[in-house]
Amino acid sequence: MDTDDSKVPLREINRVALLGDMTLLLAWSLDEAGRYVETLKAYEHKQPDIIRERVEDTYVGRLNSFLTSIRSVNKTDVLTLASNFKSMDKVACATVEELAMCPGIGELKAQRIYKAFNDPFVLPLNE
């Protein structure tokens, strides 16, 4: 779409697809769109378990799944936080300074972890 303001046309296309019970596929190029269609056709009659994310049932696995969703937090950071704080509750209640004292957790990463637990989970209405 060659326009400076793409929000309104994309919102309208999305609305039409949703109301028409259609799948909307957006791509940057024809090649990318072709790869998406090929992948969709390859998985068309497969069970959903094949493409569904596998989350470990262990405590550390769930910690990894949750905490690595925070930008720049990796599995090593999760192990560091788990060994220093001993529980997710203590990580959630920690201050930025306490988080930053952990090896490998800098000030920026500590702020991101803190915000993940303490910022409100609300999107602005005007977007």
Side-chain angles (χ1 to χ4, degrees):
M1 176 176 313
D2 296 330
T3 179
D4 291 334
D5 182 27
S6 59
K7 284 185 180 180
V8 174
L10 285 175
R11 188 178 301 132
E12 184 63 24
I13 291 170
N14 193 26
R15 187 181 71 77
V16 169
L18 184 65
L19 292 175
D21 197 27
M22 296 180 274
T23 300
L24 178 64
L25 187 70
L26 298 175
W28 288 104
S29 67
L30 290 176
D31 289 338
E32 184 182 16
R35 286 191 303 273
Y36 285 152
V37 171
E38 286 174 353
T39 303
L40 286 170
K41 291 305 283 180
Y43 286 100
E44 185 175 27
H45 299 292
K46 306 264 190 222
Q47 293 294 323
D49 296 345
I50 293 173
I51 58 174
R52 186 178 301 148
E53 179 185 11
R54 289 167 182 79
V55 178
E56 294 182 42
D57 287 338
T58 65
Y59 179 70
V60 175
R62 290 191 306 252
L63 275 179
N64 272 327
S65 178
F66 174 70
L67 290 174
T68 56
S69 66
I70 301 170
R71 187 172 173 210
S72 76
V73 175
N74 57 41
K75 290 181 179 183
T76 305
D77 298 329
V78 173
L79 291 175
T80 300
L81 291 168
S83 65
N84 283 309
F85 291 99
K86 308 295 185 218
S87 74
M88 178 65 91
D89 187 43
K90 289 180 182 175
V91 173
C93 294
T95 64
V96 175
E97 293 78 21
E98 291 171 332
L99 292 166
M101 287 177 21
C102 294
I105 308 289
E107 184 71 25
L108 180 61
K109 199 179 290 190
Q111 287 176 358
R112 288 180 179 155
I113 295 167
Y114 181 83
K115 284 182 178 185
F117 287 106
N118 294 288
D119 279 2
F121 191 71
V122 177
L123 295 175
L125 295 175
N126 59 357
E127 286 189 30

